[in-house]
Amino acid sequence: MSESTDTADQPRQTGHACIQGYLKTLDGSPGVYRMLDAQARILYVGKARNLRARVSSYARPTGHTPRIARMIRETASMMFLTTRTETEALLLEQNLIKQLKPKYNVLLRDDKSFPNILVAKDHAFPQIKKHRGAKKEKGSYFGPFASAGAVNRTLNQLQKAFLLRNCTDAMFESRTRPCLLYQIKRCSGPCVGLIAQADYAESVRDAERFLSGRSTRVQEELAEQMQAASDAMEFERAAALRDRIRALTSVQTAQGINPRGVSEADVIALHMEGGQACVQVFFIRANQNWGNRDFYPRVGADVSPAEAMEAFLGQFYDNKEPPRQLILSDAIENADLMTEALSEKAGRKVEILVPQRGEKAELVSGALRNARESLARRMAERATQTKLLQGLAEAFGLDGPPQRIEVYDNSHIQGTNAVGGMIVAGPDGFMKNSYRKFNIRGDNLTPGDDFGMMKEVLTRRFSRLLKEDPDRNKGLWPDLLLIDGGAGQVSAVREIMEEHGVEDIPMVGVAKGVDRDHGKEEFHRPGQRPFALRMNDPVLYFVQRLRDEAHRFAIGTHRAKRAKAVGATPLDDIAGVGATRKRALLAHFGSAKAVSRANLADLKAVEGISDSLAEKIYGFFHENG
């Protein structure tokens, strides 16, 4: 891969003439190109098997779609990066699109990681739990599942079927009697020795077999055990086995689609309408449906289904391992290239299919129906949201409907565990990926000083904005600030914004109004008289929803911080004492206070605590008080 071409010495023309000037220095190498406007903002990122041939196609004055023609007119410079192969160019292109979010590319905006089920293997009695993120823990992973809800439903039924524990190791070690889950027949009570290790290990194997797709065999064995128990007149055991079989059947029923001929695949269906798109993804693993998710990539009215599908695949699997098969509703132009790129990424063969008949075609048909219905609902919701934003602009005297509303709220108990919360809303509703929490750090704040907390939150927020997006061209700046409070809070916020040189963002304070009743809110704007909206005004309900969402988010963040603080101990401040060693110390001594009073010899006796670490722990408590 070679360095990108310097654009400084190129003529400062725009459009076809600008692009034509680069043809003299380009050869037929594969690579990635970037098109930039006069302000050096990225307009488009593309890949090419032959850079010269691809760029020359843009230099032609005719034959372009309206979207591409607009992009060419805005182009003032280009950058190039050559690669060894076209496959490498494809991977680089999709990575750059996700990073740079160019204006004219198809863009996948909601791209979170997906949860898995983990059967942890770092304990004699393995724990079964939900897992998201890097697979660093020792154990067996099953997934991905489409959502946390799909994982939770499956875990709930697996607990009924196999009676595996879901408690943490620390809780497991501290139990002296079985917990409520044992009483309601969701756990076999390994924490207090109510099941032998060998029997528990057999239940773990059965759960793993079920999650691996061998569900029929597991159910047959349970049915045989139930019949044997019944013949032996062990009716209580037979009833327990019957309940376990029902739980497994419930999992399969909830999954809906369980294809026999598809063991591992993602079924991906695209529906486009009115310049918008919905991609529905069904996750099929071990012949089981592990849920589905819909995505709404940014597309233009003249984007073809093939282009939209190819862009989605490249960006979706940029940070995910692809399954063995991708079953698509629409063919893509560079299927061989995408297959090669994904196979190289996965380290094994990945197959891309566009089925026309049979079970796979039926799966695509079902996913396509879901995509069509999801997009129809979204378009209806968006139309309603657009009307609300227009009403908000009229009510608050804005220049136009806001595209990004930021709402701030604080939460604390007498100043302790103080946090600030920021929620964001726009044409698509709540933008939860943009929510932010702020741990209040001000040491000089008076407990309960809401003005001081708001100042810290806004100072940190806008200091970062000024640093990361000084030109306001990345869509990160708000068009409207909503503040929970009256004239005093609005005045304070205005002063904070002026200190940062930001005076052009409208702000509105939402005060409870007469009797602090819902529906009697008063609205405060800088330098203007307060006003109210009609009780039945949809805009009033919209503002209430925004404020309530900010309050919910701030309260939830505060509670999480408070819960974490409750479980904190001085051991957290000792370098080298992580979660495992902390558990070992607490299990050995019973409490952090007992650890602080222990002598050096006792500390060295704890399993996993080296002599040097024991000396460090002893020194921490005795030298630092």
Side-chain angles (χ1 to χ4, degrees), residues 61-242:
T62 58
H64 305 291
T65 64
R67 175 176 63 104
I68 299 301
R70 287 195 305 273
M71 178 187 74
I72 291 171
R73 284 196 299 271
E74 293 179 36
T75 299
S77 62
M78 296 185 71
M79 298 176 68
F80 304 93
L81 196 63
T82 59
T83 58
R84 290 171 299 174
T85 65
E86 191 183 3
T87 301
E88 191 176 313
L90 172 65
L91 295 172
L92 178 60
E93 174 203 32
Q94 299 303 334
N95 186 267
L96 287 174
I97 289 172
K98 290 183 68 174
Q99 286 183 36
L100 302 173
K101 298 178 173 54
K103 179 179 177 180
Y104 287 100
N105 282 96
V106 175
L107 182 64
L108 176 60
R109 290 174 288 190
D110 180 16
D111 187 26
K112 297 186 291 187
S113 64
F114 295 98
N116 291 265
I117 286 178
L118 168 62
V119 180
K121 297 293 182 66
D122 56 354
H123 195 281
F125 292 92
Q127 172 194 12
I128 186 168
K129 62 181 178 179
K130 178 172 62 182
H131 176 88
R132 192 191 291 269
K135 298 178 180 179
K136 295 181 179 179
E137 291 187 57
K138 183 182 177 182
S140 301
Y141 292 85
F142 300 92
F145 286 78
S147 65
V151 171
N152 291 337
R153 285 191 296 273
T154 303
L155 283 175
N156 186 39
Q157 297 301 329
L158 288 177
Q159 280 182 270
K160 291 180 182 178
F162 301 110
L163 309 181
L164 302 181
R165 72 179 183 95
N166 67 352
C167 59
T168 64
D169 291 350
M171 183 177 290
F172 182 94
E173 302 297 344
S174 66
R175 298 297 305 183
T176 57
R177 57 182 180 176
C179 67
L180 179 62
L181 288 176
Y182 173 80
Q183 308 296 339
I184 61 173
K185 296 182 173 58
R186 297 284 183 90
C187 181
S188 51
C191 55
V192 289
L194 296 178
I195 183 172
Q197 185 174 338
D199 293 336
Y200 188 87
E202 186 177 344
S203 295
V204 170
R205 282 194 297 273
D206 285 344
E208 290 179 317
R209 288 166 62 202
F210 182 83
L211 289 169
S212 298
R214 297 191 288 276
S215 54
T216 304
R217 184 59 192 146
V218 172
Q219 287 170 299
E220 288 174 354
E221 290 176 1
L222 289 175
E224 290 170 4
Q225 294 175 27
M226 181 180 70
Q227 186 60 50
S230 177
D231 293 343
M233 292 191 290
E234 297 175 0
F235 299 119
E236 188 172 341
R237 172 171 164 74
L241 289 165
R242 177 203 61 203

Side-chain angles (χ1 to χ4, degrees), residues 415 418 439-449 452-453 456 460 561:
N439 289 313
I440 304 298
R441 302 192 285 243
D443 297 329
N444 57 348
L445 290 179
T446 304
D449 179 5
M453 293 178 193
E456 180 178 330
R460 286 163 57 185
K561 183 178 181 181

Side-chain angles (χ1 to χ4, degrees), residues 307-324:
E307 181 183 354
M309 180 66 82
E310 184 170 322
F312 177 84
L313 294 180
Q315 294 172 51
F316 186 70
Y317 293 109
D318 179 60
N319 61 349
K320 300 178 185 67
E321 182 178 331
R324 297 186 182 279

